[in-house]
């Protein structure tokens, strides 16, 4: 307690250092403007609204800081590696429905497998397999809108096992492919 002022000053300096190079953006400005009107938050519903705005502001700011830190760490990669990583992503986006292996992607991207795995995660914030799965599931969602059966969609995006596809779809979107199609048909 005796040194609390020193700790507060130190915390402020450290936090300011993290935020020092970042400019306040439009969303942060808009969220901060909601706090200026003191009469706006008189009853309990308005207090809940205020709490949600604070949560939104914190969430957005943390994401912004995280992105800034990731950008700094990705700058340490050499241009030729970044080029290889971008080629790897292009391969995933284009050939998502084929049997992609890390070895094959590394070969086509002209990068060592170990570097590919490590740098891909650092640069894109997800593993190669996570990106393949995300791409497949995003395409699957679009195909389900076009009235293909679940089995047809699973095969089109590269999954031979329909139940495994359904499990992944549910884990990613919190709804089964069948229920998703039913919801689309109800609208």
């Amino acid at each position: 307690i005796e040194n609390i002022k020193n700790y507060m000053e130190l915390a402020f300096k450290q936090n300011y250092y993290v935020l020092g190079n970042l400019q306040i953006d439009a969303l942060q400005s808009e969220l901060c403007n909601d706090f200026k009107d003191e009469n706006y938050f008189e009853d309990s519903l308005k207090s809940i609204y205020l709490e949600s705005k604070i949560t939104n502001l914190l969430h957005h700011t943390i994401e912004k800081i995280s992105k800034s830190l990731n950008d700094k760490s990705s700058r340490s990669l050499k241009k030729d590696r970044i080029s290889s990583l971008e080629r790897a992503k292009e391969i995933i986006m284009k050939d998502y429905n084929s049997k992609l292996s890390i070895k094959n992607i590394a070969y086509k991207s002209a990068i060592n497998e170990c570097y590919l795995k490590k740098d891909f995660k650092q640069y894109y914030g997800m593993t190669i397999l996570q990106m393949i799965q995300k791409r497949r599931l995003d395409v699957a969602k679009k195909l389900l809108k076009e009235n293909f059966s679940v089995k047809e969609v699973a095969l089109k995006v590269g999954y031979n096992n329909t139940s495994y596809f359904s499990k992944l779809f549910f884990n990613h979107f919190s709804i089964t492919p069948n229920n998703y199609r039913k919801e689309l048909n109800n609208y």
Side-chain angles (χ1 to χ4, degrees), residues 56 148 163 166:
N56 286 343
F148 289 105
S163 60
S166 295

Side-chain angles (χ1 to χ4, degrees), residues 62-177:
I62 290 169
E63 279 186 338
K64 191 173 176 182
I65 291 169
S66 174
K67 186 174 187 297
S68 170
L69 293 174
N70 285 338
D71 288 347
K72 287 176 187 170
S73 65
S74 67
R75 285 186 207 133
S76 65
L77 296 174
K78 294 180 181 177
K79 287 184 180 182
D80 60 329
R81 276 225 197 124
I82 291 173
S83 175
S84 294
L85 294 174
E86 289 171 350
R87 267 184 294 202
K89 183 179 178 182
E90 286 175 25
I91 292 166
I92 292 169
M93 293 297 139
K94 188 178 83 172
D95 299 333
Y96 62 88
N97 56 349
S98 64
K99 291 187 178 184
L100 292 173
S101 69
I102 293 174
K103 184 176 186 172
N104 193 347
I105 294 170
Y107 177 76
K108 289 179 179 178
S109 303
I111 188 172
N112 176 294
E113 278 182 65
C114 294
Y115 286 129
L116 175 63
K117 288 190 276 189
K118 179 180 78 68
D119 294 345
F120 195 93
K121 171 92 170 149
Q122 178 185 353
Y123 192 69
Y124 290 111
M126 65 178 73
T127 66
I128 294 169
L129 297 176
Q130 288 170 330
M131 184 171 281
I132 293 169
Q133 182 179 346
K134 182 180 181 332
R135 173 70 173 152
R136 287 177 172 177
L137 293 173
D138 289 342
V139 171
K141 196 171 184 182
K142 291 176 185 174
L143 291 173
L144 286 169
K145 291 178 182 178
E146 296 176 15
N147 245 358
F148 289 105
S149 72
V150 174
K151 185 174 184 173
E152 289 174 316
V153 170
L155 291 172
K156 282 181 181 282
V157 296
Y159 293 109
N160 295 327
N161 186 326
T162 307
S163 60
Y164 179 66
F165 163 72
S166 295
K167 179 183 174 187
L168 289 175
F169 192 92
F170 180 80
N171 289 342
H172 192 73
F173 297 113
S174 300
I175 189 170
T176 65

